[in-house]
Amino acid sequence: MAVQLRNQDDILRKLEGLHTIETAMIALGLKRQSTLNLLCKLKKQQYVITSGGGKRKRLYRISQLKQRPRDPGMFDIINKYSPHMKVAEWYDHQVHGVYGPEEALIDAIETESFRLILASLRLFKHIKNWKKLYKLANEHGCWNKVGALYDVARLFFKVTRIPSRYYHIITDKWVQLSQLRKLNFPDIAQKWHVFIPFNINDIREV
Amino acid sequence: MITSNDQRVLFIAIGKQLRKNIRCIAFGGTAMMYYGYKDETKDIDLLFENEPDRAEFIRVIETMGFSEGSPFKIYIDEKLRDPHRPLMYMREDARFDLFVKQIFHTVTSPNMKEDKFARHEFKGTHQLTVDALRKEFIVMLKSVTERDKDFEDILTIIKKDTQFNWQYLIDEVLWQHENGDTWVLMDTIKMLHELRKYMFVEQKYLKMLTGKLGKKQAKKK
């Protein structure tokens, strides 16, 4: 028997979460076609995002809040290029304009977050514009950190080669990547004057 | 009214014309649109860190045809007398409320700076960074500003959000009160009393605020 629902807010409250068409039918107490019509209407109003279809089961992610299309930000870029280690975003970061691995790497370093910097090591494979990265890093005063991370990354992953004109230390001052003041990879740390917080076991996660 | 898309296009256009990087905090309807609570807003509320940033923002919006308007009829008299009232810029239906450093008596707390909901960066030659506040801050600030429809917005947020952190709101109100905001305590108590007509709010949260108010009045006596 169809459940009497007062309005759209009630429907959304009842449906909030991940559904297949069958679970949505049960939750609403409606027939298949009526449920599909309703989900289609809600999708037009941006309350539903669909995934799957074809060989996979179609899933409906329903929210009481509108799910607007977004522009990619730092977390999206890092998660896109880091195949194994994904980072949960603690705030919604979106950039409206040009934003690629170069900008994401600098933003990740600026957060001083251990996991984010660790995951961003994978970005070195996708750096195309070293000039841009060098300029951005100098604006933020973090070229030494970029250099140290590059040297660590190339020990374990395939990376794009840095042009020799950029491969030098900018300042002699010792700096930290995160709150940890550890001397892992001593040769690289000494060369770039950067405390590298992660060790080989951490990098295995990436 | 300004829709979510209008707002996006407007910020992109502003970002392209800036002569320096600017960071500001979005609250009110703007932040609510970023959350997805609503589709359109009457005004874009922004808080700037310093006067030169606001001046640069104003320079850009003036080139787009916005002109300064009067805050009378929009805010109550008590708020209009406050030196930290906003500058208002209008163009047809769109309006900017531009605050600097403070929103009336409310200052930016360490939590407000660090605990944001979203960051939107609009890139041109320079960059406009808009941080959207957490919903608890939006509710607190809407209690303080007391304009038309502010209470409706509070009700929308709390009804739609099952994860609303009441303790976080109360802690922030108490922090603001201890740091010189004399209005926030009364305004939030008033809002909570009104809210209890529509939905269930635990008594303990109200008691935390009225207890603080009681102590303050006892001290005065």
Side-chain angles (χ1 to χ4, degrees):
Chain A
M1 201 182 125
V3 177
Q4 290 289 316
L5 296 167
R6 273 182 300 162
N7 55 33
Q8 190 166 295
D9 285 349
D10 289 338
I11 295 171
L12 288 171
R13 203 169 299 128
K14 215 172 180 71
L15 280 180
E16 191 165 35
L18 199 60
H19 281 278
T20 62
I21 185 66
E22 287 80 14
T23 58
M25 278 164 64
I26 294 167
L28 294 169
L30 294 175
K31 286 182 184 168
R32 188 182 182 85
Q33 193 54 54
S34 310
T35 313
L36 280 169
N37 291 344
L38 184 67
L39 287 171
C40 180
K41 190 179 135 197
L42 292 176
K43 192 182 170 191
K44 277 182 190 164
Q45 292 175 27
Q46 297 182 319
Y47 289 109
V48 178
I49 290 179
T50 53
S51 58
K55 280 184 184 174
R56 293 187 175 193
K57 189 79 188 160
R58 177 152 284 241
L59 294 173
Y60 301 87
R61 187 177 293 280
I62 302 157
S63 165
Q64 286 194 65
L65 307 178
K66 296 218 168 187
Q67 304 174 69
R68 296 206 170 91
R70 45 195 313 288
D71 286 326
M74 171 181 65
F75 296 103
D76 303 282
I77 299 281
I78 289 174
N79 285 336
K80 181 180 167 189
Y81 292 126
S82 172
H84 303 300
M85 187 183 177
K86 303 289 178 191
V87 187
E89 53 186 56
W90 57 88
Y91 65 93
D92 177 26
H93 185 249
Q94 293 187 45
V95 181
H96 312 273
V98 181
Y99 196 74
E102 292 85 4
E103 289 89 351
L105 179 66
I106 300 297
D107 283 346
I109 291 171
E110 288 289 292
T111 61
E112 298 190 351
S113 155
F114 181 92
R115 278 185 67 82
L116 207 52
I117 295 172
L118 190 57
S120 70
L121 286 177
R122 284 283 190 175
L123 294 179
F124 283 103
K125 192 183 171 187
H126 304 276
I127 300 291
K128 298 241 166 55
N129 193 341
W130 281 97
K131 185 182 173 185
K132 184 182 182 183
L133 180 62
Y134 185 72
K135 193 182 159 205
L136 278 171
N138 275 326
E139 277 171 17
H140 290 84
C142 65
W143 178 249
N144 282 10
K145 293 179 184 178
V146 175
L149 287 173
Y150 169 78
D151 274 348
V152 173
R154 75 176 186 168
L155 291 177
F156 300 93
F157 319 115
K158 200 174 169 184
V159 295
T160 56
R161 200 174 178 80
I162 185 171
S164 55
R165 63 182 174 279
Y166 300 129
Y167 193 62
H168 57 82
I169 188 169
I170 294 275
T171 160
D172 283 341
K173 196 184 162 195
W174 277 82
V175 285
Q176 289 170 235
L177 277 165
S178 73
Q179 289 179 334
L180 298 172
R181 210 180 161 88
K182 286 186 179 174
L183 263 178
N184 296 311
F185 304 101
D187 293 344
I188 298 172
Q190 280 292 342
K191 183 177 172 186
W192 292 96
H193 289 196
V194 174
F195 293 102
I196 297 165
F198 27 79
N199 56 32
I200 295 172
N201 288 329
D202 296 321
I203 294 174
R204 277 203 191 110
E205 268 191 66
V206 187
Chain B
M1 295 293 254
I2 304 158
T3 64
S4 173
N5 200 40
D6 291 343
Q7 180 179 270
R8 184 173 164 276
V9 172
L10 192 56
F11 279 148
I12 289 173
I14 293 169
K16 281 180 183 164
Q17 291 189 46
L18 287 175
R19 287 184 191 151
K20 63 175 194 165
N21 293 340
I22 287 182
R23 178 167 293 180
C24 60
I25 294 174
F27 58 99
T30 312
M32 283 180 75
M33 285 206 290
Y34 282 140
Y35 262 100
Y37 287 123
K38 59 191 215 175
D39 290 328
E40 50 186 25
T41 182
K42 270 187 186 172
D43 55 339
I44 297 176
D45 300 306
L46 297 174
L47 170 66
F48 293 86
E49 284 173 6
N50 50 50
E51 193 56 60
D53 279 3
R54 180 167 74 170
E56 172 60 9
F57 190 88
I58 289 171
R59 183 192 67 76
V60 175
I61 59 173
E62 276 179 341
T63 62
M64 293 175 162
F66 282 86
S67 56
E68 193 169 0
S70 162
F72 294 97
K73 291 184 184 173
I74 292 165
Y75 289 96
I76 58 172
D77 292 348
E78 198 185 358
K79 312 267 165 177
L80 287 173
R81 283 193 291 272
D82 192 286
H84 296 285
R85 67 177 180 269
L87 286 181
M88 288 181 154
Y89 280 78
M90 300 169 193
R91 187 185 71 181
E92 295 162 18
D93 273 357
R95 194 181 89 214
F96 279 103
D97 287 10
L98 306 173
F99 295 82
V100 68
K101 285 182 188 166
Q102 276 183 240
I103 302 156
F104 297 111
H105 286 197
T106 311
V107 292
T108 34
S109 66
N111 277 350
M112 263 189 207
K113 283 179 190 163
E114 287 164 20
D115 225 0
K116 53 189 166 288
F117 160 70
R119 168 167 289 177
H120 288 254
E121 291 173 10
F122 300 89
K123 293 203 169 193
T125 323
H126 293 282
Q127 184 174 303
L128 172 68
T129 305
V130 181
D131 286 344
L133 285 183
R134 269 179 68 135
K135 52 188 177 282
E136 290 81 8
F137 296 119
I138 302 174
V139 167
M140 183 188 77
L141 292 169
K142 285 214 170 266
S143 321
V144 172
T145 44
E146 287 186 284
R147 291 164 302 186
D148 286 351
K149 295 205 174 175
D150 274 346
F151 184 73
E152 273 177 41
D153 288 342
I154 292 173
L155 207 56
T156 309
I157 293 175
I158 295 167
K159 271 188 177 172
K160 282 198 175 177
D161 212 307
T162 46
Q163 307 283 316
F164 191 82
N165 191 339
W166 285 100
Q167 192 57 55
Y168 194 94
L169 169 72
I170 302 298
D171 289 345
E172 180 63 23
V173 170
L174 294 177
W175 187 92
Q176 289 290 345
H177 175 68
E178 278 161 18
N179 285 273
D181 189 344
T182 46
W183 292 348
V184 71
L185 207 55
M186 282 300 292
D187 288 338
T188 313
I189 291 171
K190 202 168 123 188
M191 179 272 290
L192 284 178
H193 275 299
E194 189 67 23
L195 203 59
R196 278 161 69 91
K197 291 177 191 169
Y198 299 90
M199 59 190 300
F200 173 69
V201 182
E202 281 184 67
Q203 183 76 36
K204 67 175 181 183
Y205 298 121
L206 204 53
K207 270 186 182 171
M208 282 181 204
L209 299 181
T210 47
K212 196 78 183 175
L213 195 68
K215 273 184 194 171
K216 191 186 162 191
Q217 281 168 351
K219 263 187 190 176
K220 269 188 183 175
K221 279 181 187 175

